[in-house]
Amino acid sequence: MKKTTLFVIAAVCLAVILSSFVFSSYAAAPVSADYEVKTVAETNENEDIFLLMLNKNYVYGADFDNVDDIVNCSVNVFKDSVDQEGYIPEKDVISFVYDMYGIEIVDLSKLNGEYPYKEGYVYAVSGFTAYKHSNISLKYNEDGTVTATTDIAVTSLDGDTENLTATTVFVKNNNSKFGYNILTSEIFSDNQTA
């Protein structure tokens, strides 16, 4: 009987040792959990980047159809650095438009021809509407773009604020200082669907 008891004890010990290996391998296995954490971290980082970009964006709807409109809307970002004559450095605008929208501009000398041309500068035709994005949610599309839906507060010159919804499509651009460009951005009222 002693041999049988010893055999049972050895079998139980072996079973315990083997089960500890199996359970420890399951405990170590959640590689997907690390991936999910990374994905959540990347999503949070993208949310921060996209909100930063959106809160510098003055281009909406049909403005995306014309480069001059994109430039004229974009000068609003520089409203605090416009000189006394109403100009901002051309290189700043060109760099900003590329980083935000991926549009390469070589020459802005013909922009806003109704204003006197000043070499190396752009006349800042200022807009009077302010936009503030918040509460972002992201959808990663099959084509590699990312669609962001945000609440947007649109404040007019007279101080009236309308709370609406915006849908913006971003595309990866490693050469942009943001890492992305805005392809389109639309603002919808409450009775419209995004």
Side-chain angles (χ1 to χ4, degrees):
M1 277 239 190
K2 289 187 180 187
K3 285 185 180 182
T4 309
T5 308
L6 251 122
F7 179 73
V8 170
I9 291 172
V12 170
C13 289
L14 183 61
V16 168
I17 292 170
L18 288 175
S19 66
S20 69
F21 285 155
V22 170
F23 287 125
S24 68
S25 67
Y26 278 121
V31 175
S32 62
D34 291 340
Y35 176 75
E36 288 170 14
V37 169
K38 183 179 178 194
T39 302
V40 169
E42 287 175 349
T43 298
N44 290 340
E45 181 180 319
N46 286 348
E47 287 176 356
D48 292 343
I49 290 167
F50 294 157
L51 277 174
L52 173 70
M53 292 176 73
L54 286 168
N55 286 315
K56 292 180 177 295
N57 180 45
Y58 288 85
V59 183
Y60 295 95
D63 296 334
F64 281 93
D65 297 339
N66 184 301
V67 175
D68 287 355
D69 289 343
I70 291 172
V71 172
N72 280 323
C73 291
S74 295
V75 299
N76 288 293
V77 172
F78 302 99
K79 59 186 165 213
D80 294 336
S81 58
V82 174
D83 70 16
Q84 292 178 346
E85 297 170 328
Y87 292 90
I88 54 176
E90 184 179 82
K91 65 179 178 48
D92 294 347
V93 176
I94 289 172
S95 176
F96 179 79
V97 168
Y98 180 77
D99 286 332
M100 285 288 283
Y101 311 106
I103 298 170
E104 293 187 51
I105 299 172
V106 177
D107 180 26
L108 289 173
S109 63
K110 304 286 188 250
L111 181 73
N112 302 326
E114 64 273 22
Y115 298 98
Y117 175 66
K118 183 176 174 183
E119 190 172 343
Y121 289 85
V122 174
Y123 188 81
V125 179
S126 294
F128 300 106
T129 304
Y131 304 94
K132 177 68 177 163
H133 292 262
S134 60
N135 299 326
I136 192 168
S137 66
L138 303 181
K139 177 184 170 212
Y140 291 85
N141 305 312
E142 289 181 12
D143 63 359
T145 61
V146 182
T147 301
T149 302
T150 54
D151 294 337
I152 181 171
V154 181
T155 305
S156 62
L157 176 63
D158 59 9
D160 289 341
T161 299
E162 221 178 335
N163 294 308
L164 305 169
T165 301
T167 300
T168 306
V169 178
F170 293 87
V171 65
K172 190 91 172 137
N173 178 355
N174 292 327
N175 294 319
S176 161
K177 76 175 188 179
F178 301 110
Y180 288 87
N181 291 134
I182 296 175
L183 292 180
T184 62
S185 192
E186 300 285 339
I187 299 173
F188 299 94
S189 63
D190 293 337
N191 56 7
Q192 291 175 308
T193 55

